[in-house]
Amino acid sequence: MTLSSDNLIGGARVTGAGTPWHAVAATSGAAIEPAFVSATAEQAKRACQLAEEAFDAYRETALTARAEFLEAIARNILDLGDDLVTRCMEETGLPRPRIEGERGRTVGQLRMFADVVRRGSFLGARIDPAQPERKPLPRPDLRLRQVAVGPVVVFGASNFPLAFSVAGGDTASALAAGCPVIVKAHPAHPGTSALVGGAIQRAVAECGLPAGVFALLFDDGIAIGQQLAADPRVAAIGFTGSRRGGTALMRTAAERAVPISVYAEMSSINPVVLFPAALASRGAEIGRAFIASLTLGSGQFCTNPGLVLAVDGPGLDAFLAAAAEALPGVAAATMLTPGIHKAYCVGVAALEANPAVTRVAQGQPGSAHQGQPALFATTGAAFLSDNRLADEVFGAASLVVRCADAAELHAVLAALEGQLTAALHMDEADHGQARALLPLLERRVGRILVNGFGTGVEVGHAMVHGGPYPATSDGRTTSVGSLAIDRFLRPVSYQDLPDALLPAALVEANPLGVPRSVDGGPAGV
Amino acid sequence: MTLSSDNLIGGARVTGAGTPWHAVAATSGAAIEPAFVSATAEQAKRACQLAEEAFDAYRETALTARAEFLEAIARNILDLGDDLVTRCMEETGLPRPRIEGERGRTVGQLRMFADVVRRGSFLGARIDPAQPERKPLPRPDLRLRQVAVGPVVVFGASNFPLAFSVAGGDTASALAAGCPVIVKAHPAHPGTSALVGGAIQRAVAECGLPAGVFALLFDDGIAIGQQLAADPRVAAIGFTGSRRGGTALMRTAAERAVPISVYAEMSSINPVVLFPAALASRGAEIGRAFIASLTLGSGQFCTNPGLVLAVDGPGLDAFLAAAAEALPGVAAATMLTPGIHKAYCVGVAALEANPAVTRVAQGQPGSAHQGQPALFATTGAAFLSDNRLADEVFGAASLVVRCADAAELHAVLAALEGQLTAALHMDEADHGQARALLPLLERRVGRILVNGFGTGVEVGHAMVHGGPYPATSDGRTTSVGSLAIDRFLRPVSYQDLPDALLPAALVEANPLGVPRSVDGGPAGV
């Protein structure tokens, strides 16, 4: 399979302009062919124009047709075969099983959204039938459905080159909602992006959809992304990345003549709370499991456990001893990009330099592009007096906070910003203490989990991968799981429309067979 | 009943500070006793602190207890009897039947939300049961519910002194979601606000809820409102009012250390499209109905028909002739405040002065505080070349745009900003033309209605009183109807929590009997 480095716009390959740039092999820093050339401002504009033109037709595609489109994308991604896996490995440094697993997740996500589209409950259909005899005024016939918001811009994430990139969760949920998607490829994996973009572009053509339903644009800078975010035809933004990048998009979106929604998933240190009985009965075991989670994928997960809290004592000592014993055996692993590796080293150095922090253990040292895992410890008092200790260090580093007592542990949690996850390790004897923390945790995080770690985000219907700011820009939503489709919908009400003019989902006879709620009752077909 | 002019904070009456000010009788401009004194910054801070302290307890009230609280508020408002009606009439100039009707709507809204709370489907409960045998990895148990976002600040609207003020839709939906509410009373009807605030405060006490669940603050300036919007304990804002006021709140909310949601309902001219067959068969009849809708309540509705579009011809002439015949018989009516009256006069004068605009008819002239209804006409070409013609004139003024053809009519609609409603007057022969406009209308408005006018907003489950910016700050929501509860909720996911620690809505045995979706299927009990 030949790899095209062109932008994909309007069903065609379009060569950009300017200085060519290359993907970089994560393990060596060497340039990988072919060269990429960034999209021009004019090309980005054209992608928005075509998305706008495609929108009305695409958002009214039959539910089955839209589901088949999502399934066609999944099939075309699998059809890329090993070319995709090897290119992705080369660009990201991630090992084959991880890439293959992530491909499975990506394809599974697309198929889940195909099911969601076929079921039609995302349309949120509601009917309040007319009551012509009501006094003093007759009640009109009112029907409501959710409609797609408009063209969506998706920014590929560096750390999930498949599952949160060109055909990742944001793209799948936006397409499922009925929104055309313009992807700004992450420059860390342009070849992977080009391959997956081609798979989507082929699916658009195979399914006979308007070509403007999908575009893929390359840029190794920020100009195209900012332009897309400001384009008046764009209705929403999906982003996974740094806090700096996400807040810049939030500003751009808020300053538009017509402000739009930004769904940015940005940063999280994912507190882990170790309760006394669990520590006493299995502190060492938890310590070993923690090291496995911390160092998984070189720690490059949004849900990586970056902060561990426990009341000081022999149980915590056992946890730390086991962690300190396990970590030196863990090899350094290649990080996604030189920039991420550098930021990791800076973050670790800041912890090393902090007089209130001690190093508990390190993993094995690695090559120039590998992150050496590291575990640090501090006290609750020190943590509370230095808010730099709550900064995310993206990679396999974590900070254990020895709290003087349960009150201090509570204070440390209360001082945290919004987080994606909180993990609680507990035995039954810990339930009382855990229960006391739950109200606080519900306000701080999007997902609370017990006796596990946040890494490994299940793609399902009850998943929330989100959380209060700054974990995300909008804590009312999730970026993983079927609920993510709601981000790209808005309600429209139809009053006294003749049946002939109603959208199919609201026609009296319910020809689509979608669930509808009548007079606020449970949704049924 | 004695009218207290104090702020209501923490279950107590609290006197503000500064220069006293008075409500003004809408008909005469005369001051009405008693004097009000604005809340202090310290008092506003305390209201936020108490709301924060009450939040965790209030959001976990049993559903029946919360429903009973909403019903107690409704009962207490009715118990205010005629004192409320007469004070409200005096402050707003609105006639008795309107005030009594609005009281009925307010009470009905509270009871509807009580039903919504009892049903529990707003909790959005989802369960993905564990699959311990799944390969390669077991699936965890995942459960999701919606939780209240936190304390909400509600700004009372001037034009709905009951239904969108102290105990109005924003307050009812926020309390239903489980959020404490701090109301900033509108200075145009402080006495009405004080009476209704007292009714809520009594309900809080009667139901044994934490006193911080509700506060009412007075201020005749903007300082207290801006302070509330910036307070770190406030999680969301509900506002109905001017575009300037709404966008100022949006800016404040976006610039906070932790940005929050603003649900501002701001401005709309609510286009009315008259199709040819309907005009031909009953142009005059529609013209008379239009005048009745235009002048209802002195035109002081967000959904007032401020723009009428039709293709020029004899049918439109008949519509205009009937409208021109009907309007001079309509009396001028008292407007809500001297400020609103003045803005109305400025808006009408601007239309009078516009050389591209002709005056079709006027209603009867009135006293110093009354708005004289006015109907103007222009051409599609003129409208498209002068965007001032799309400015909202709040009151009983409207502009008819004579379009050269269907294409120009489409262009005029396409040039509009987001709107709350669009009304289509059509006969069966018009269906083709109407169908061609629907995709555009769905993108521009929150509610599309046929053979009626947008005034008269039904409080139900399928209502959308919302729409794209600048009709509202957030087109993903509605401020009227049961769907409004979603504005004050966010999802939280619980992974592998022992049953003993799960919130009641998610406990395996479903003790609350709330609808729950299992594995993405239809929600059932």
Side-chain angles (χ1 to χ4, degrees), chain A residues 12-35:
Chain A
R13 294 180 174 184
V14 181
T15 307
T19 314
W21 49 274
H22 286 80
V24 166
T27 48
S28 65
I32 319 174
E33 292 302 328

Side-chain angles (χ1 to χ4, degrees), chain B residues 39-55:
Chain B
T40 66
E42 202 46 53
Q43 288 163 351
K45 216 168 142 183
R46 183 165 151 73
C48 295
Q49 182 60 33
L50 289 169
E52 164 68 26
E53 287 168 17
F55 175 50

Side-chain angles (χ1 to χ4, degrees), chain A residues 52 55-56 59-60 119 121 126-128 134 138-140 142-147 149-151 233 235 243 250 254 256-259 261-263 417 424 426 430-432 434-435 438-451 453 456 458-464 467-470 473-478 481-483 486-487 489-498 500-503 515 517-523, chain B residues 52 55-56 59-60 119 121 126-128 134 138-140 142-147 149-151 233 235 243 250 254 256-259 261-263 417 424 426 430-432 434-435 438-451 453 456 458-464 467-470 473-478 481-483 486-487 489-498 500-503 515 517-523:
Chain A
E52 165 66 29
F55 175 50
D56 279 333
R59 72 186 173 95
E60 293 300 343
R119 283 177 175 173
S121 54
R126 293 170 166 225
I127 300 179
D128 295 345
R134 191 183 65 172
R139 188 171 87 164
L142 272 173
R143 290 160 195 253
L144 178 154
R145 68 162 177 167
Q146 300 284 339
V147 302
V149 292
R233 289 156 296 207
R243 185 164 175 174
M250 289 173 73
R256 293 166 51 116
V258 175
S261 314
V262 177
Y263 300 108
E417 298 183 291
L424 311 179
M426 63 173 83
D430 297 314
H431 281 190
R435 188 176 290 113
L438 284 175
L440 173 61
L441 293 175
E442 286 175 331
R443 298 188 66 179
R444 284 291 180 284
V445 315
R447 177 166 53 117
I448 300 168
L449 64 146
V450 167
N451 291 335
F453 296 93
E458 188 69 32
V459 180
H461 304 284
M463 172 54 70
V464 175
Y469 184 91
S473 55
D474 190 337
R476 290 169 297 180
T477 70
T478 174
S482 63
L483 194 60
D486 285 3
R487 298 179 300 166
L489 297 167
R490 49 172 276 267
V492 174
S493 183
Y494 304 81
Q495 179 175 323
D496 288 334
L497 257 67
L501 292 182
L502 280 170
S517 161
V518 177
D519 276 330
Chain B
E52 164 68 26
F55 175 50
D56 279 333
R59 72 185 173 95
E60 294 298 345
R119 282 175 176 174
S121 55
R126 293 170 165 224
I127 299 178
D128 295 345
R134 191 183 66 172
R139 187 171 90 164
L142 272 173
R143 292 162 193 251
L144 178 154
R145 69 162 177 167
Q146 301 284 338
V147 301
V149 293
R233 289 156 295 207
R243 185 161 174 178
M250 289 173 73
R256 290 165 54 115
V258 175
S261 314
V262 177
Y263 301 108
E417 297 183 291
L424 311 179
M426 65 172 81
D430 297 314
H431 282 190
R435 189 177 288 112
L438 285 175
L440 172 62
L441 293 175
E442 286 175 333
R443 298 189 64 180
R444 283 290 179 286
V445 315
R447 176 166 55 117
I448 300 169
L449 64 146
V450 168
N451 291 335
F453 295 93
E458 188 68 32
V459 180
H461 305 285
M463 173 52 70
V464 176
Y469 185 92
S473 55
D474 189 337
R476 290 169 297 180
T477 69
T478 175
S482 64
L483 194 59
D486 285 5
R487 298 178 299 166
L489 297 167
R490 48 172 278 267
V492 173
S493 183
Y494 303 81
Q495 180 174 323
D496 288 335
L497 256 68
L501 291 182
L502 280 170
S517 162
V518 177
D519 276 331

